Amino acid sequence: MRALEVLRPKQPGNLVWTAALGLLGLLLYVAASWGRSFSPKAGVGLLFGILAALAFVFEMAYPSRRPRAFPLRNARAWLQAHVYLGALAFLGVLFHTGFGWPHGAFGWALWLLSLWTTLTGLLGVALQKWIPVALAEGLRVEALYERMPGIVVELREQADAALAGSSETLESFYRREVRPTLEQLRPSPGYLMNVRAGEERALEPFRRMSPFVEPAERERFDDLLAIVTEKRELDAQYTLQGLLRGWLVLHVPTAGLLMGLLVVHVFTWIWY
Amino acid sequence: MARRTTYGTPTRSEHYPRPRPALRLTLVAVLALGAVAALFLAAELAGLRAPLSPGRVSERHATWDARCRECHVARQGVPNLRCQRCHDPGVGGRLDHSAHVLFGSLDEKKAAGAPRLECARCHVEHRGGQPLTRVPETECVGCHDDAGQVAQRIPRFSRHPEFQVLATGRRQATGLVYSHLTHVTLGKGKKAGYLVLDKERRAQGVDSPARTCFECHERQPQEADFQPISYEAHCAACHRAELKMDPVPSALVLGPDALPALAESGDVQPDDFDTQGGQTLKLRVVHRDAWVQVNLRKLQSELDPAGFAAARAGLAARRALLERRLILAQPPAARDAPALAAQIESTRQELAVIEGRLAAAAQAPGSGAREAELAAVLQASADPEAQALGAELARRTSDPGAPAGGLGEGELGQRRDEVLRLLDAVEKADPRRKPQADELRRRLGALRPGQTSREVLERARAQRRATLERLEDELDLRLTGTPPPPETLLRGEVDALRRALREVDARLALFDALPPAATLTADERRGREVAVQALSRGCRYCHVVAPSGAFPAVKAADPVLRRATFTHRAHLTRGEACASCHTAPKGSQTAWSIETSGFSEDLSLRGIDSCRACHGGGGAGEACLECHQYHPKGLP
């Protein structure tokens, strides 16, 4: 069900427009290539190339959505245009090449970078729709990404303070089985599919220990359990927020490379 | 007190958490963009262009892979000029689109108006080594489909029209008397469906029906088609006995030592002749016997001086054309910069002269006035033939019903022969006039039916402009240090032209070596006509010989399908008997069939339907290029 949610567009109208434009392009391509020679250097093939190049230039201007979002109204409109025009740009590349494989290292580099940038962009869209919902629905704790390491230190200090003066049994349990998990944030890809992944296994030592806790120390024990639970939620937060930011490393630098090759491609087309 | 469950941020921060720089990745991207662009720009400036190549070039062009500027021109792509440097080195324009249109339509006007197509449109390079001859079918159909502008609309093979040679019923004068009827018959019984040789050959031991046709139409393992039929290989075994002549009066023929060419031929030995009783008989006549040919030509010069002069003038005109083409075929790509600069200057001068003549023609009185003037000059001449031509010209000029514009094919040929004969006479009278005569011969040779001299001039102007463009481009290349293409690429056309020129020279030498002919009385004429029959007795067994002794060239080897290429090799591998294509189908009312063919002019092929039996519909290929070529094989 969650997967379906990811596929559902936030603004269906934009998807309809994009699909319509893609279909129009396909029809134009079919009309231009049916029974005739199709060249990326002339006619409709060239038109697709120019449109795709212009779309890529627009895509590259995405960071200029801030602070005033000119000429689009707001950052959301920029994002929508960025996503849908990016998809159309890759379609334009396919039409431009006549759905053929590229030739030569340069052609392959252009084609693969176009594909990679488009796919990583779509991956980003999916992550942006999946992760915030998962975080909101599955976790109680939330924090700024940059603050999380500090919060973990605070939680560890709280745990140390809570366990101060406790019985040897509880102290031993804390030192041996709990405190190592509070040392640092532990991101795990498992949180992407389930924000509570591994929770049972993590809390198993507490269940094992629970019958042996003295009634007088029950409160300390429950506090420790709450701290560990919060730390685990922070781990999930840290992992998923890291993914939300990290996918850009896959997308943005390669987009820059793509633009560089595109500049060279346009130059060689004009010059040669 | 127990610790409360945290909702939201567990604790408040005691300090301001600094967010990551917002544009850090964007900066990386911009740097990547700049670095890539700068890297390639540096490579370009340093002359390292291989990284820019959009793909490996074809195998034949591998030498030029990273030498972009030998093919590419800044802001122009790959102009035809650069392809022609190697592939049409003689500035002949043989490979451009107008040559294709001319080849297909034989219409000079249409060819002149044909749009310019770039070679690179069909021959797409940088496709990972794919051969450039692999041109997509769509390139042909692009012009020849229903919406195309060309007359031949063939959007698919199923709509291919009948071969023109069959549709028009054109029969080629082959110059031979040959009959398949007397050589093969259709087999019966076990040999049904095969052609079999006549009884005489079967008696010689050739009795395999599968081998019948190959007795004469020899397959060669390395060749795409059969070897051309030759007398020695295919006829001599049976027909050597027919090579003989009847005695001719010795006074009418040249002796064996009359011409040096005869001694050089090796066909003439003193022992070969019996010269008793005022008659000469060559006892050993060979195929293409030099003595017989010389004497037939001599008799023709006496019996038909006009035909003889026309044949000689035609050869002289061809020689003039070949000489001009040889000059043009000296590849500009092979020259150094000073030679190119000099040729550019001379071409500019030629162009200025043509422009001047065109401008003068536009302001001059009509062609009628010019012709009347010419007629008056010719009539004032002392030469009776010139006077007759002048009178004829005057008659035509004054004829109000005379058609405007160029002459039709028949009249053009007739008048061209007349003028060529006159030019021969002028050159003989005053050898200093040879250059002017040669120039006029070339211009006459260039004139096509229905064409006016203005159109010829316009064509010449277009040719000079193309030449100038080529030369200027080549000079630019030379000045930027680009070397000429390998010499071997440039030599082919020149060698072919030189061979053709040598052949024409040899034939002209024979014409010129003959003694001048005197005017004949009726008896003398009759005697020479009989001599022609006696001399050519052996020749006439297979060849057409005119009563005057004229010997038409044998054209049996000319391709019947002018616009297409058919090779037997690919078809014989299917194991089909020859009769399956070269005999009329059962029940057909078709007049021809190889086993009933009585004339060498007969076209023994079924037509396009027989091709469709295999080609198309998922069987053999049906692409245009299976049979057709875009570029005509234009050689001298």
Side-chain angles (χ1 to χ4, degrees), chain A residues 33-41 60 63-64 66 102-107 140-147 151 154-155 158 219 222-224 226-227 230 233-234 245-250 252-257 259-265 267-272, chain B residues 1-15 17-20 22-23 25-30 32-34 36-37 40-41 44 49 51-56 68-69 72-78 120-121 124-128 130 136 138-139 141-142 145:
Chain A
S33 61
W34 190 266
R36 297 179 214 177
S37 63
F38 183 85
S39 168
K41 293 188 212 165
M60 198 63 189
S64 69
R66 288 180 293 202
H103 303 275
F106 191 85
R140 290 193 304 269
V141 173
E142 60 184 25
L144 286 177
Y145 184 77
E146 289 80 4
R147 280 205 59 207
I151 294 173
E154 288 171 11
L155 286 177
Q158 286 175 21
E219 194 173 317
D222 290 344
D223 284 352
L224 192 58
I227 287 168
E230 282 175 20
E233 293 200 357
L234 278 175
R245 291 158 182 253
W247 73 272
L248 284 170
V249 176
L250 303 177
V252 180
T254 50
L257 277 177
M259 286 305 294
L261 290 185
L262 192 60
V263 168
V264 176
H265 181 61
F267 164 78
T268 50
W269 169 64
I270 293 172
W271 193 254
Y272 288 110
Chain B
M1 192 178 98
R3 190 175 187 279
R4 286 180 301 149
T5 305
T6 302
Y7 292 96
T9 307
T11 58
R12 291 187 64 83
S13 177
E14 293 175 355
H15 59 273
R18 185 177 295 279
R20 289 188 314 171
L23 297 177
L25 276 177
T26 306
L27 187 65
V28 170
V30 170
L33 186 159
V36 167
F40 278 98
L41 181 65
E44 164 73 16
R49 299 189 181 94
L52 282 174
S53 174
R56 195 155 51 86
C68 313
R69 287 189 179 160
H72 291 267
V73 176
R75 296 180 300 281
Q76 288 181 40
V78 181
R121 174 180 159 155
V124 184
E125 254 301 3
H126 297 287
R127 287 289 174 269
Q130 277 182 14
T138 48
E139 290 295 349
V141 179
D145 69 353

Side-chain angles (χ1 to χ4, degrees), chain B residues 177-238:
Chain B
V177 182
Y178 177 81
S179 153
H180 276 97
L181 171 66
T182 59
H183 290 79
V184 294
T185 55
L186 201 54
K188 290 174 185 166
K190 286 182 181 175
K191 296 175 185 175
Y194 286 94
L195 291 160
V196 293
L197 287 167
D198 57 42
K199 286 179 184 171
E200 194 178 328
R201 292 284 284 151
R202 288 209 297 276
Q204 291 173 359
V206 181
D207 197 23
S208 163
R211 291 282 317 152
T212 301
C213 303
F214 302 139
E215 281 296 301
C216 295
H217 299 286
E218 280 189 86
R219 285 192 290 177
Q220 296 296 317
Q222 302 303 321
E223 301 292 331
D225 222 315
F226 300 119
Q227 284 288 87
I229 299 291
S230 78
Y231 170 82
E232 289 300 337
H234 308 114
C235 312
C238 299

Side-chain angles (χ1 to χ4, degrees), chain A residues 68-238:
Chain A
R68 297 182 59 186
F70 181 82
L72 303 181
R73 294 186 308 275
N74 50 44
R76 186 182 186 190
W78 264 101
L79 180 61
Q80 288 287 307
H82 183 77
V83 169
Y84 287 112
L85 261 178
L88 282 176
F90 184 66
L91 264 185
V93 169
L94 294 181
F95 295 146
H96 175 59
T97 57
F99 289 95
W101 295 117
H103 303 275
F106 191 85
W108 271 107
L110 262 177
W111 194 88
L112 287 175
L113 277 174
S114 303
L115 178 67
W116 173 264
T117 311
T118 307
L119 289 180
T120 52
L122 292 175
L123 172 72
V125 171
L127 291 176
Q128 300 271 8
K129 293 173 80 173
W130 176 277
I131 291 174
V133 175
L135 292 177
E137 288 180 356
L139 301 176
R140 290 193 304 269
V141 173
E142 60 184 25
L144 286 177
Y145 184 77
E146 289 80 4
R147 280 205 59 207
M148 281 186 232
I151 294 173
V152 169
V153 173
E154 288 171 11
L155 286 177
R156 192 171 64 235
E157 288 168 359
Q158 286 175 21
D160 286 347
L163 269 290
S166 61
S167 67
E168 189 179 341
T169 309
L170 193 57
E171 175 71 18
S172 170
F173 167 73
Y174 172 65
R175 293 290 167 202
R176 201 177 61 248
E177 303 207 36
V178 180
R179 200 167 192 286
T181 64
L182 298 176
E183 288 292 334
Q184 58 183 1
L185 286 162
R186 292 188 173 181
S188 162
Y191 294 124
L192 183 61
M193 301 312 294
N194 177 10
V195 289
R196 298 202 167 276
E199 190 176 57
E200 289 298 316
R201 199 179 59 208
L203 299 184
E204 175 59 26
F206 285 90
R207 268 195 291 277
R208 222 177 334 107
M209 185 63 193
S210 181
F212 305 102
V213 176
E214 296 291 330
E217 291 191 313
R218 176 58 61 185
E219 194 173 317
R220 287 172 197 263
F221 184 76
D222 290 344
D223 284 352
L224 192 58
L225 180 60
I227 287 168
V228 168
T229 305
E230 282 175 20
K231 162 64 174 51
R232 279 194 46 73
E233 293 200 357
L234 278 175
D235 285 345
Q237 283 278 358
Y238 191 73

Side-chain angles (χ1 to χ4, degrees), chain B residues 214 217 219 224-226 566-574 578 582:
Chain B
F214 302 139
H217 299 286
R219 285 192 290 177
D225 222 315
F226 300 119
F566 177 87
T567 55
H568 280 89
R569 185 168 66 175
H571 296 81
L572 292 173
T573 52
R574 292 174 53 83
C578 305
H582 292 289

Side-chain angles (χ1 to χ4, degrees), chain B residues 590-629:
Chain B
T590 309
W592 70 266
S593 198
I594 198 87
E595 80 281 9
T596 59
S597 160
F599 303 95
S600 59
E601 291 87 347
D602 285 347
L603 296 167
S604 304
L605 69 163
R606 283 187 184 172
I608 192 72
D609 282 339
S610 64
C611 306
R612 288 200 189 102
C614 298
H615 289 270
E622 57 179 321
C624 305
L625 292 176
E626 290 277 330
C627 305
H628 291 277
Q629 284 187 318

